[in-house]
Amino acid sequence: MLRHGEVGDRRRTERFLGRWLGGSARREEAAAAANREEGLTIAIASGKGGTGKSFLATSLAVTLHQGVAIAPSRWRDTNRRVALVDCDFGLACDHLLLGAKPIKTLQHVISGGARFEDTIIETQHGPRLIPGGSGVQRMANLGRAELAVLGSELGALVCEHDVVLLDIGAGISPQTVLPMSCTDHVILVTQPEIAALTDAYAVIKCLAAQCQRSPFSIVVNRVAEAGQGDKTFEKLAEVARRFTGVELHYLGEVLEDPAVTQRRLGQPPLVVSHPECATSRSIHLILDRLRAVVGSFRPRSVEPSLGFGARFQTQLGQLF
Ligand SMILES: Nc1ncnc2c1ncn2[C@@H]1O[C@H](COP(=O)(O)OP(=O)(O)OP(=O)(O)O)[C@@H](O)[C@H]1O
Ligand SMILES: [Mg+2]
């Protein structure tokens, strides 16, 4: 039983705790208010060139757009979308695959002659495209100041979209590693051949050393027969686990499909023209598995100091 003095003590303690708890709740509310929403960022990368990154990036962007557009009320409320940034700085081609004719590209942004908003194309198949520069040698070797501009533009872009896909050039140069090291997720596109697998492993090793980063997913493209992708993935996953401690997720395989290679300029992507074909179904399956890995294709609340732009500037400081 409490004695008289102790009741007073308890009331004083409760009043103090009440004020403290109230203050802490207000602090939490203020912190939450300071947070902002950023779209999910996904890099599509590879070690070796020509594995099918641009094919996959454009197919995923169009399919994701269709998925997001199914919820029109949320769409109108937030005016968010799917954006694809062609970060293959020297040899960009996503605009060709999406039937777009860029006027300004990343080349203009990086040289200070434009903002992202001046380059954005609303493609006829849905996703927005920030086209890359093509055939510009200087774009293939960007310096610190140019990359800093890219980081700040990307930081703003992710606040305006549900999902931002980055089609990254092949290899492990600073300008490919940097965006990859900042995205929420990396999809590595490989093929069932030793050179592509070795180069995919090199990217995993490089990123694991560069930053304690988020998970990688693997897509095995251009497989000759069903199931070859699964076996290829198992080999790569085993090597990555043993030598880097990195766990890989498997998103699926895409069969070698002449309809992909034979696409002519101006033809819509296969996921639009033949949504029921085996290749388009593989893209849907890849997206289903990706959703299971990343949780959802919705924006997430982040503290500005931990957002994409801040991560980019931190990684940039470490690279140069
Ligand atoms: N599943 C597939 N079946 C048949 N051809 C494919 C398939 N995927 C991609 N291709 C073809 O492979 C070639 C390279 O594809 P893509 O340009 O997408 O590769 P990339 O990784 O973006 O290349 P780069 O490293 O040069 O950017 C293209 O001609 C494309 O049509
Ligand atoms: Mg490409």
Side-chain angles (χ1 to χ4, degrees):
M1 198 171 83
L2 290 170
R3 285 193 293 273
H4 182 68
E6 286 171 329
V7 171
D9 283 351
R10 196 179 70 180
R11 288 204 181 118
R12 268 195 299 281
T13 309
E14 280 170 359
R15 270 203 303 277
F16 172 76
L17 277 177
R19 271 202 306 275
W20 187 81
L21 283 173
S24 124
R26 275 195 295 277
R27 272 194 298 279
E28 274 171 24
E29 273 168 29
N35 282 1
R36 63 180 184 209
E37 293 218 312
E38 284 195 356
L40 178 71
T41 49
I42 301 170
I44 292 128
S46 74
K48 186 176 173 291
T51 57
K53 297 177 294 296
S54 297
F55 155 69
L56 186 73
T58 49
S59 304
L60 290 180
V62 169
T63 313
L64 262 169
H65 167 87
Q66 291 165 346
V68 176
I70 288 169
S73 59
R74 202 172 75 81
W75 183 267
R76 273 199 298 274
D77 288 350
T78 61
N79 199 27
R80 286 175 181 273
R81 298 188 158 201
V82 177
L84 170 62
V85 187
D86 197 342
C87 294
D88 193 339
F89 301 107
L91 296 166
C93 72
D94 289 348
H95 58 285
L96 300 175
L97 299 179
L98 291 175
K101 291 194 181 114
I103 295 169
K104 294 203 166 176
T105 68
L106 268 182
Q107 183 201 341
H108 298 93
V109 175
I110 279 164
S111 60
R115 305 286 314 269
F116 261 19
E117 63 210 41
D118 306 320
T119 69
I120 289 180
I121 300 173
E122 308 271 350
T123 69
Q124 55 183 306
H125 307 299
R128 288 173 162 187
L129 173 69
I130 289 82
S134 195
V136 187
Q137 203 175 19
R138 199 175 59 79
M139 288 289 284
N141 194 13
L142 300 178
R144 190 185 204 286
E146 292 160 320
L147 288 169
V149 171
L150 176 71
S152 89
E153 291 290 329
L154 283 172
L157 187 83
V158 298
C159 297
E160 302 294 324
H161 293 84
D162 287 321
V163 186
V164 176
L165 299 171
L166 307 181
D167 181 3
I168 309 271
I172 49 173
S173 67
Q175 64 197 51
T176 60
V177 171
L178 184 58
M180 266 193 267
S181 63
C182 308
T183 49
D184 297 311
H185 199 83
V186 175
I187 301 176
L188 280 178
V189 187
T190 189
Q191 289 179 0
E193 49 149 314
I194 193 72
L197 283 174
T198 310
D199 291 356
Y201 172 70
V203 173
I204 295 164
K205 197 172 132 191
C206 175
L207 276 185
Q210 165 80 18
C211 53
Q212 302 299 312
R213 66 144 301 116
S214 53
F216 291 96
S217 288
I218 303 293
V219 169
V220 187
N221 190 23
R222 304 191 78 160
V223 302
E225 58 192 6
Q228 193 183 14
D230 305 29
K231 290 189 195 123
T232 305
F233 169 76
E234 276 159 28
K235 274 187 235 154
L236 183 60
E238 164 67 22
V239 173
R241 190 179 305 120
R242 185 165 346 145
F243 296 108
T244 63
V246 170
E247 279 300 324
L248 303 179
H249 300 271
Y250 182 47
L251 297 186
E253 64 185 7
V254 184
L255 283 163
E256 172 73 27
D257 181 353
V260 176
T261 328
Q262 288 160 11
R263 232 98 204 112
R264 288 191 308 278
L265 213 57
Q267 278 188 304
L270 215 52
V271 286
V272 174
S273 62
H274 296 81
E276 294 303 326
C277 75
T279 299
S280 298
R281 284 206 306 274
S282 303
I283 299 291
H284 280 100
L285 187 60
I286 286 168
L287 268 182
D288 284 348
R289 289 186 177 157
L290 179 63
R291 186 188 284 115
V293 175
V294 298
S296 78
F297 295 126
R298 286 167 192 273
R300 33 219 72 201
S301 172
V302 291
E303 264 183 53
S305 64
L306 301 175
F308 184 92
R311 297 201 295 276
F312 196 102
Q313 301 307 335
T314 306
Q315 291 295 330
L316 182 61
Q318 288 175 14
L319 272 173
F320 284 87

